[in-house]
Amino acid sequence: MGPENLTLPEIATIFSRVLNCSIKYVQVSIESIQQRLELIETTPGVQEEMGDLLRALGDPNGVYATV
């Protein structure tokens, strides 16, 4: 969604340089994110929608694919 496609680790490296602090990208599962959403008492619908969104964003052939 910009002049070039960057990986998440590349973005973390840029943030580290710009902010002058160590930032590390750590991949977590969609299920883990949904569990965390449950812990903060989001509705099951919100948890499901977030999971669906993250799956769509991660699909290299999906509607959000940039390459």
Side-chain angles (χ1 to χ4, degrees), residues 28-44:
V28 296
S29 70
I30 292 171
E31 292 75 20
S32 173
I33 293 169
Q34 289 175 309
Q35 289 171 353
R36 290 176 188 223
L37 289 171
E38 183 178 10
L39 288 174
I40 61 169
E41 299 181 2
T42 61
T43 65

Side-chain angles (χ1 to χ4, degrees), residues 46-63:
V46 167
Q47 297 164 33
E48 183 179 345
E49 289 294 325
M50 183 60 74
D52 291 345
L53 173 62
L54 294 171
R55 284 183 196 84
L57 289 170
D59 182 353
N61 299 310
V63 297

Side-chain angles (χ1 to χ4, degrees), residues 7-39:
T7 66
L8 293 172
E10 289 171 331
I11 292 169
T13 299
I14 293 168
F15 280 3
S16 292
R17 186 177 64 243
V18 170
L19 299 173
N20 196 32
C21 65
S22 179
I23 297 174
K24 179 182 175 186
Y25 168 71
V26 178
Q27 185 172 357
V28 296
S29 70
I30 292 171
E31 292 75 20
S32 173
I33 293 169
Q34 289 175 309
Q35 289 171 353
R36 290 176 188 223
L37 289 171
E38 183 178 10
L39 288 174

